[in-house]
Amino acid sequence: MNAGIVGMGTYVPEGVLTNADLEKIVDVSNDWIIERTGIRERRIAEPEQATSDLAVIAGERALADAGVDPLEVDLIIVCTNTADMTFPATACLVQERLGARRAAAFDLVAGCTGFVYGVGLSSQFIATGAYRTVLVIGAETLSRVINYQDRNICVLFGDGAGAAVLRPVASSSGILAFRLWADGAGAPFLTLPAGGSRMPTSQETVDKKLHYATMNGREIFKFAVRTLGEAALEVLTMAGFNQSDIDFLVPHQANIRIIEAAARRLNLPMEKVMVNVDCYGNTSTASIPLALHEALQEGRIKGGDLIVIVSFGTGLTWGALVIKWPDGKN
Ligand code: UT7
């Protein structure tokens, strides 16, 4: 049995942080941000909104879109790098709020590739028959771990959530192939140093601002440009297709230059590539579902289209999916 996405939902907080707002708080310019990243604005959660709050709204919308009752959900995976708490899993908080009392629930941490990891994993539970209905959610409140005085990082990230309901679909459609990769040698390139077992939170870690994310942007940029196109090609080959068969590409929304490099490697015109990084910045695990859902709503993906989804993130991790979009809903 192939797994397919049979419903989606998203949520972004109302608060908008524009490049002009950032110009007032740190030494950056609108022109630099647009030229180097393509980002114009990002959404920022209200102080009382935690990651689970965003995840619940996206999850409810995805279930409604799929016409699935919460009691039919067998498994909830919340892919996030900004859990409400170190433990318990944010997925358990979401399970309770959704009333999905039959569902198993766990969190998945795979950097910005989390949603692709989550969908790949879910497709296996469905393929084996272990589960029939899986809810995968990518949700982040990255604004909580960003130092808005650090211009190397604060221009990039935003908050948001997106969710997908996966169910068995006809074997000619749905997720035809996926592959997930990791290279821990690149782990130092993007970390949140304090608050874990290596460096428990202390007055000193707070004074040194080690409770904020730190990033070597240039190294991640080079890795992403090297990797995204190749990952897409490999997974297409696994599914028995080649690059000319791609109807639409949904890449991780991190930087317009990275997206354009992937499109060039795949010989794809930008009309066949989803871009909304300008509106949301990099929302990490929410980026792919926000982009995919918007593409669906805009009618840019039709039943029967061959979609490639490709992402990368801290870890380092990267992954790709080939989906034949189902005709109608199961
Ligand atoms: O999901 C994974 C998460 N991470 C990423 O996706 C990050 C990937 N990396 C990137 O997107 C890019 O590397 C950045 C957008 C972070 C940086 O762009 P870049 O073209 O690699 O710039 P750079 O780091 O090479 O810096 C160029 C210059 C530097 O000045 P000098 O050394 O040339 O004098 C920086 O100090 O730009 C300066 N700079 C800035 N200037 C204005 C760096 N950040 C800023 C800024 N505003 N925000």
Side-chain angles (χ1 to χ4, degrees):
M1 258 304 185
N2 276 5
I5 294 176
V6 297
M8 291 200 76
T10 57
Y11 171 75
V12 288
E14 280 172 24
V16 176
L17 182 70
T18 64
N19 291 349
D21 297 329
L22 282 168
E23 281 179 338
K24 289 180 204 134
I25 53 180
V26 62
D27 177 24
V28 294
S29 74
N30 177 44
D31 290 347
W32 189 96
I33 300 171
I34 291 178
E35 191 194 313
R36 299 288 179 127
T37 73
I39 300 168
R40 293 174 184 276
E41 58 188 45
R42 328 94 195 105
R43 298 302 181 94
I44 305 294
E46 295 301 322
E48 66 277 8
Q49 280 182 311
T51 294
S52 64
D53 299 321
L54 279 53
V56 165
I57 301 173
E60 280 169 349
R61 290 177 178 175
L63 291 173
D65 185 48
V68 167
D69 187 276
L71 289 173
E72 295 177 78
V73 178
D74 298 305
L75 172 66
I76 298 173
I77 305 178
V78 173
C79 314
T80 186
N81 301 280
T82 47
D84 284 24
M85 296 172 266
T86 303
F87 58 83
T90 300
C92 292
L93 309 176
V94 171
Q95 186 248 23
E96 197 269 330
R97 296 259 303 275
L98 289 177
R101 285 193 299 281
R102 285 185 52 256
F106 66 86
D107 286 2
L108 189 161
V109 183
C112 301
T113 323
F115 190 81
V116 170
Y117 264 66
V119 169
L121 212 67
S122 302
S123 74
Q124 297 305 285
F125 286 116
I126 290 171
T128 60
Y131 292 134
R132 178 173 150 73
T133 307
V134 183
L135 176 63
V136 185
I137 306 177
E140 304 283 358
T141 46
L142 289 157
S143 59
R144 299 289 149 74
V145 297
I146 300 298
N147 176 0
Y148 285 93
Q149 300 303 316
D150 179 357
R151 71 175 187 172
N152 288 315
I153 201 161
C154 71
V155 301
L156 297 177
F157 293 100
D159 300 337
V165 178
L166 277 83
R167 275 199 159 166
V169 293
S171 60
S172 55
S173 68
I175 296 152
L176 302 184
F178 74 92
R179 179 131 192 230
L180 311 171
W181 291 265
D183 177 8
F189 295 153
L190 178 52
T191 68
L192 200 162
S197 63
R198 177 69 60 197
M199 196 188 289
T201 308
S202 66
Q203 190 56 55
E204 192 188 348
T205 64
V206 174
D207 290 344
K208 290 183 172 167
K209 301 195 186 315
L210 296 170
H211 55 299
Y212 289 129
T214 78
M215 182 180 74
N216 182 334
R218 212 172 292 187
E219 286 302 328
I220 296 185
F221 187 91
K222 286 192 285 186
F223 148 74
V225 167
R226 215 171 43 235
T227 312
L228 277 198
E230 299 305 322
L233 288 174
E234 187 166 335
V235 84
L236 271 170
T237 306
M238 284 170 68
F241 293 98
N242 60 51
Q243 65 195 62
S244 61
D245 297 316
I246 303 176
D247 290 309
F248 200 68
L249 179 73
V250 182
H252 175 40
Q253 305 290 308
N255 184 320
I256 187 67
R257 292 186 292 147
I258 295 172
I259 296 170
E260 286 171 348
R264 270 197 302 277
R265 179 70 187 84
L266 297 168
N267 273 327
L268 275 182
M270 288 305 285
E271 302 87 72
K272 291 189 171 189
V273 181
M274 187 61 204
V275 176
N276 64 5
V277 68
D278 47 327
C279 302
Y280 304 118
N282 180 348
T283 57
S284 190
T285 58
S287 142
I288 293 286
L290 282 174
L292 182 58
H293 189 234
E294 192 170 316
L296 286 164
Q297 285 190 316
E298 288 176 352
R300 297 179 72 186
I301 295 174
K302 300 173 296 298
D305 277 356
L306 194 74
I307 312 301
V308 174
I309 293 176
V310 64
S311 187
F312 67 93
T314 183
L316 299 166
T317 58
W318 62 110
L321 300 157
V322 177
I323 303 181
K324 186 95 172 162
W325 204 259
D327 273 316
K329 285 175 185 169
N330 281 49

